[in-house]
Amino acid sequence: MLSLFQKTNSTVANLLKSNLQSTIRGQKKRWVYLFQDIEEAENLYNGDWDKVRLLLGGKGANLAKMYKIGITVPPGYTITTECCNEFLKLGGKFPQGMWDQSNEALRVVEKMTGKKLGDPNYPLLVACRSGAYKSMPGMMDTVLNIGLNDKTAEGLCKISGDPRFVYDSYRRLVQGFGAIVLGLDDEEYEHPLAQYKKKYGFKYDNELQAENWIELTRQFQQITKNISGIEFPQDPIKQYEMSIKAVFNSWNVPRAIQYRKQTGIPDHLGTAVNIVTMVFGNMGEVDSGTGVAFTRNPSNGNKEIFGEFLFNAQGEDVVAGIRNTLPISALNDQLPGCYKQFIQECTKLENYYKEMQDVEFTIEKGKLYFLQTRDAKRTAFARFKTMVDMVEEGLIDKKTAIKRISPSDVDMMLHPQFDPNVLKKAKKQGKLFGKGVAASPGAAVGRVYFNADKCEEMSKDGPVIMCRPFTKPDDVNGMFASKGLFTAEGGATSHAAVVARQFGTPCVVGTGLVIDDEEGVATNGKITIREGDWVSVNGTTGEIFKAKIDTIDVKLEDQKDLLKILGWCDEFCAQKGTRNIKNGPNRGLMVWANADTAEDALRARKYGAQGIGLCRTEHQFLGDRAKYLRTFIMSEDKDDKKKALDKLRELQTKDFEELFIAMTDLPVIIRLLDPPLHEFLPDLLELTREVYELRGKGQKDEEKETLLKQAEQMHESNPMLGLRGVRLVIIKRELVEMQATAIIQGAINAKKKGYNPDPEIMIPLVGHINELKELQPEIDEIAKKLLKKNNTKIDYKIGTMIEIPRACLVSGELTKYAEFFSFGTNDLTQMTFGYSRDDAEGGFLLKYVEDGILPCNPFQSVDQIGVGRLIKMCVDEGRESKPQMDIGVCGEHGGDPKSIKFFSDAGLSYVSCSSLRVPVARLSACQAILD
Amino acid sequence: MLSLFQKTNSTVANLLKSNLQSTIRGQKKRWVYLFQDIEEAENLYNGDWDKVRLLLGGKGANLAKMYKIGITVPPGYTITTECCNEFLKLGGKFPQGMWDQSNEALRVVEKMTGKKLGDPNYPLLVACRSGAYKSMPGMMDTVLNIGLNDKTAEGLCKISGDPRFVYDSYRRLVQGFGAIVLGLDDEEYEHPLAQYKKKYGFKYDNELQAENWIELTRQFQQITKNISGIEFPQDPIKQYEMSIKAVFNSWNVPRAIQYRKQTGIPDHLGTAVNIVTMVFGNMGEVDSGTGVAFTRNPSNGNKEIFGEFLFNAQGEDVVAGIRNTLPISALNDQLPGCYKQFIQECTKLENYYKEMQDVEFTIEKGKLYFLQTRDAKRTAFARFKTMVDMVEEGLIDKKTAIKRISPSDVDMMLHPQFDPNVLKKAKKQGKLFGKGVAASPGAAVGRVYFNADKCEEMSKDGPVIMCRPFTKPDDVNGMFASKGLFTAEGGATSHAAVVARQFGTPCVVGTGLVIDDEEGVATNGKITIREGDWVSVNGTTGEIFKAKIDTIDVKLEDQKDLLKILGWCDEFCAQKGTRNIKNGPNRGLMVWANADTAEDALRARKYGAQGIGLCRTEHQFLGDRAKYLRTFIMSEDKDDKKKALDKLRELQTKDFEELFIAMTDLPVIIRLLDPPLHEFLPDLLELTREVYELRGKGQKDEEKETLLKQAEQMHESNPMLGLRGVRLVIIKRELVEMQATAIIQGAINAKKKGYNPDPEIMIPLVGHINELKELQPEIDEIAKKLLKKNNTKIDYKIGTMIEIPRACLVSGELTKYAEFFSFGTNDLTQMTFGYSRDDAEGGFLLKYVEDGILPCNPFQSVDQIGVGRLIKMCVDEGRESKPQMDIGVCGEHGGDPKSIKFFSDAGLSYVSCSSLRVPVARLSACQAILD
């Protein structure tokens, strides 16, 4: 039997370690750590595991750790990431001392295994593996079988008695060396191999015999020389040295740099190199093999070892899927001792790491080696299941479980998904129609229609997808009726995106498709879709398909593990220090929701919202009701105006009553009318086209002519900075009375029915204290009078939205008239940056983010340096003059995890986001306060 | 001879004063000051004259002051402003002690005059005059002749032997009491008087005899009773008390409150009441009379007494203009002693106040009394003349002279004015055509045209006025060719207004007139003007006339007094502490100018600009050159694009060379292309109208169709927050190379011709450091290469405009790539407030300012609390990381005196404004640092 190395014993290891240390003592810097030296690295950083990983890379650190806890790993050592950095700094030279230390470590491994690199009698074979702090697909990975040459191959044949195995290994070295160290295209080898197999009638690699591999090894060496001009080195030390250098150099290949840029991994980390003794799973059909396994089920999270195994195979064969793998239990039948050991060691690993592991292992002639372990990737579902289970098993505490959940895990649990197989098929069949900004996640499928009313109408007959050049408040009825939507224009915070997220409707914007909504046709230049065609919208990836792709639905109430964890999150938030909120002083960031209707609010409440942070009253002026608002705005007749206003008051009172009933016992912030009035009129440009074309024809449509005149009158060159928010209600003062009355009367009605309303009235777009001074007393008086008239008491608050930079600069003043603040971070970001989000997100902002001029889209994640500074100033100065006031966020950022962390640190009381983001926000709010 | 009072002697006065003081000692508060008690008031405030004026009002304080320096004034006393406030607080009751003190003071005056109030034998008559800190036309003024009743009138007849005078005086008291104290309409008396005169055939008042006045006095008393229901009080004490109360109450009449609101006088000041012994100029044709005079000529400032006099008249007769007045010298002929005394006392007053005075005086039977003195109003021209003269006379120092000049004085000196007489006539004839925002001062007259090219063309034949709905960069050629302009839309910082101010062209915007520029007609609904009509534009008042009104021209070089004072200003600025500017460390705020062309720059230099703070390169892309820029933007052909860019580079190089030559030795900041590209295309809406009307007719204009497509493509919903400034040049990167090359090559060319160019390149609209990081090294490299290639050295700087709120929040970072900052306060104001200035100034902002929601238009005077806070943060943090850096302002606010004071205090290096504002800014910069 081939004994690849003698049994490691700690005396030998310690002796050898001392030798290495004495070598190092004479030198300035330690570049090499044997796996058994892990404690020294740990001591260096006082046990900070993260720093050890930074030094040794993830793979090296874990191999050493396994060694330390008594798991069998092949002997080996790690050359540090510091060495990589120094090597690169020196322009491709090993730093002083490294080569000596590396040779010393090699000597130790040789002694441990009883073999020697390049010794024809007892040749040591090693693998050279890269291993950065974080796994990086952009880099070279592994050179296997270093140490083989014509002579050691012969020697190995003698020892193993298996020349087929030896020469297969040898040609793998030649191929790997050429591809990875010398940078040749792997196809340069694979193509001749395929031709060879064809020529001799072989189908699978394992049909080739020793003589075939010997011939191919020679052929591969010739290919290497022909193409690279470099002879494959027969000197194993040369192989070893060149492989290490190649791994170091791979840190700076363009692909790796690009990958780091995309993923935000810093350039200065460097990669480590792991030199690991080769073990072979392909040394027999009975007692050798290789496998990968998860310590729990990665699909459903069940507590059962889940893995695949192949007898007489090497690691890559399992992954390649060439042969059918066996379930891990098959091992029990054939090698029950190995299986038992494997199960024990898996448990040991899980207990040690306190996390589900994903391991690679090899059995060489009945001996089990672990080659790698790492925290296991799993589905979101499995993530929640394993975390809850581990807490219940006592393996981890709740805090740890929460920290390990990512916001996207929560997201995944809430949105319907496409069936992955059907999706794959659709892509293969070329059904991909368009791609844009993934604006609201989830999968939706239905027949496509191109205008709101049609969508609403057709939705009665089956699921509908809405397709528009862009959307306006006028389109909301259609958006509401549709299962999904996509637009040609707009960015992640365009009207379509914001409303879709609020409704939880999957949405893709900014696809750049050519959409003719009048003709009912859209095209990407190749494929065309027409009214009534089936399309599928993937709001998670931003893809649109001209196909009907099946979806898999999810229900929140069924997700018991998710609900359990969110419950824990709420508990932690409630335990944390003092905040200025109304429902008790001892809790963390609360999560409220943005909701405009009772239906919306009920869903938000189901998702765990503890209040409504923003009810946009303008959404109540849409559809049939738009005509009343138009009359109020436009009519010259005082009587008509008044009637319209009376009608609106009546309708809004009912709306608010329902909202207060839905949210009984919880606060509801209602914002006064905010958007510019022209949004309630048809688009000016479109009207101009219609009217002037008609005029050209010598015709006049009186109604359109009138509307055009009105739209022209309302036209502003920069509506975002125009007559809206508080400015609008100051000019159209009757709106204040109408809305304040509707809100308070709605609350009174709800109370009369036995509910407990908690109304808060919010004045938007305030920039100067006098704007509040103008309105607050008026609203207050209306409220007081109404309550007195109804002989009832309801606590109400009047506050302001903070969305103008100036408001942040004078927040101390504003508290004189505002009982609460709520940041509108969309507008605040627009004005602080001077970006019109609708224009920018499809335009220069896209380029800015792509080119790295901006670290991220500030409309997605709050700009902490600029906008954040204003927010902090506002909170600090607001609280200085009114310490107990509620301060929240009701902009888009309220649902963004990174922003939530910032808001929590800034001392806000709550974040308010669309209902569907509430679960994510509950997680993020908790994570923000966990140490 | 009637001796109204005994000669005042200081022993008596002192004695009496002690009496009053002893009265006061027993009480808490002093409410009354005899004129002779002025020193006590002064001691109270350690000689702070302003505080004395606050206590006694301007009139009272000056009367007392005259008394003190030995000018003869009628005996009297002042009831303080504090008393007024207390009176109002008590709901119309005199505060405790006031009545006693007032009576005590009255006793003193009675002793001084030897008369008694209400004594039929020797009746004392007094006037009751209001006198606030600042003169307030909204308040009641004076009740004369208090003390007359049926009995004292008889007594006075005996003493004076002039019943005509006595009963005229009596009816004046009844009339004045009714009108002022009881609030009756003065017409209630004037109308019966007129009827009486008509009935008896009198033309002038002085034709009426004693019996007429007796009858009228009775009639007036009846009128008083009939209308007010109150009997005219026969008790002089009652008259006296009611008059004082009426004056106090008049502080709070609506007209007064309104006036204070408009002029910014605080409500808490209150008014004083002055009780002054009556003296009579109507007691004889030879030795009595009354007059007003200025100690110097108020029109031209010459050092000569300038005044008017009437024998046998009362003060109001001079002002009323009923009789022809005599020049003051007439007095010398008839009463040479009086005249000599008058001249001497005028000199005494001027020497005492060290300022030109405006006095009222009366001569009663040969005895001269001064009734009032105050600092004289005068023309701007006279202001400069008198200030320079007084400095040269040694009467005041330069600092005092500078402090007394107001920015509007400077303004007046620089703009042509309409001939006031012709103007008056035009108004009377109903030629006023429109009124709007006075956007750029001065008077202009010419024939009106409605488009830019026509204006340019017609300007060859004579002066032209441009009339547009609004203006765009395309219109600049016409604006340049026109003498004045007016628009229907836009506010004080609209395109029209900004460009007009820069050119110094009188301009009125936002007139709301209906302008049909295609038809060449404008109307206000009543009057219509057509192409070629003569119109006059008053940019100082905002008025437009359909008339040809003569103007009076001004030339800076002729204004030697103005130039002398501005020179002093520059000297003071140069003496003041350290600033971070390049031309030496020891000076105050510098004044630079915004100028786009060499011609502009030369004018700025002539006006005293010490650098160019902003050259807008986009103005060089207008007119003929626009086509090159359009080709560059729009062409799909690379070659065409390149050719267009080459042409622009060539043209700009020449422009910059000329600019550097004009500004040799002084810094010139050139801003990279800033406005959104669509500004160089025709208006989208207009194009849409044209194209669709044509389409309706079944026609297609290919060029317009193409332009429309391009304009649609470039359209942004909020261009102000869109693709412009640094964003634009990052996207259209070739512009950077083109402009940087043109600037540096222009400087090299200028240097080759022996000039000393000092170029600075400014990157606009920066909000994130990475924008600078992207461009600064590129520009720097271009400059270095060009200089090396030309083997020459020129210092240049690269800096950034600060106009995005975020830039202020990260200014410390920006210094890494910016060598200077220049605030663009227009945009900074827009974004900090969230106001689109073009929309806002004609819309809600107007209402905000009118209603006092905003204290002033923040585009005219910088908002110190909000925008100013950002500016201060930026300056402080910028200087912290780069202490020696230049920081200036190049926005509109750079020419606004209030803003300049703020910028000076904030530690800026310079302000840059349009050339015509440079003199004003020089004054303001100096005033900002004078203690």
Side-chain angles (χ1 to χ4, degrees), chain A residues 90-246:
Chain A
L90 295 171
K93 281 185 188 151
F94 289 137
Q96 213 200 342
M98 173 274 191
W99 187 246
D100 291 344
Q101 292 176 30
S102 164
N103 282 333
E104 195 69 37
L106 185 59
R107 288 299 88 75
V108 174
V109 171
E110 285 173 343
K111 277 185 193 156
M112 286 168 80
T113 57
K115 300 178 188 300
K116 266 180 89 88
L117 195 69
D119 181 339
N121 298 319
Y122 293 97
L124 175 69
L125 303 193
V126 298
C128 172
R129 295 169 182 270
S130 72
Y133 173 65
K134 284 193 178 177
S135 128
M136 266 179 59
M139 280 165 57
M140 75 153 280
D141 190 14
T142 301
V143 186
L144 296 175
N145 304 327
I146 290 167
L148 276 177
N149 60 16
D150 295 351
K151 283 182 188 158
T152 55
E154 253 175 66
L156 196 58
C157 285
K158 277 181 206 154
I159 303 168
S160 69
D162 188 353
R164 198 204 62 81
F165 147 71
V166 172
Y167 284 98
D168 183 14
S169 300
Y170 193 4
R171 72 90 198 177
R172 281 179 203 250
L173 169 62
V174 177
Q175 181 174 355
F177 193 90
I180 291 165
V181 179
L182 301 176
L184 271 55
D185 189 335
D186 201 47
E187 270 304 303
E188 303 285 358
Y189 303 101
E190 286 295 331
H191 185 64
L193 172 59
Q195 280 188 317
Y196 186 92
K197 282 179 355 193
K198 203 175 166 190
K199 186 174 165 191
Y200 293 100
F202 297 119
K203 198 170 175 199
Y204 295 113
D205 282 7
N206 60 357
E207 292 164 12
L208 275 73
Q209 297 307 306
E211 58 270 23
N212 304 119
W213 289 125
I214 291 174
E215 200 182 329
L216 278 164
T217 303
R218 297 228 175 85
Q219 205 180 318
F220 279 17
Q221 288 181 338
Q222 198 56 47
I223 289 169
T224 301
K225 195 183 170 187
N226 289 350
I227 300 177
S228 72
I230 293 168
E231 190 100 38
F232 171 78
Q234 286 292 320
D235 179 2
I237 292 291
K238 201 75 202 163
Q239 293 168 9
Y240 169 80
E241 183 193 343
M242 287 175 80
S243 296
I244 295 170
K245 285 184 173 171

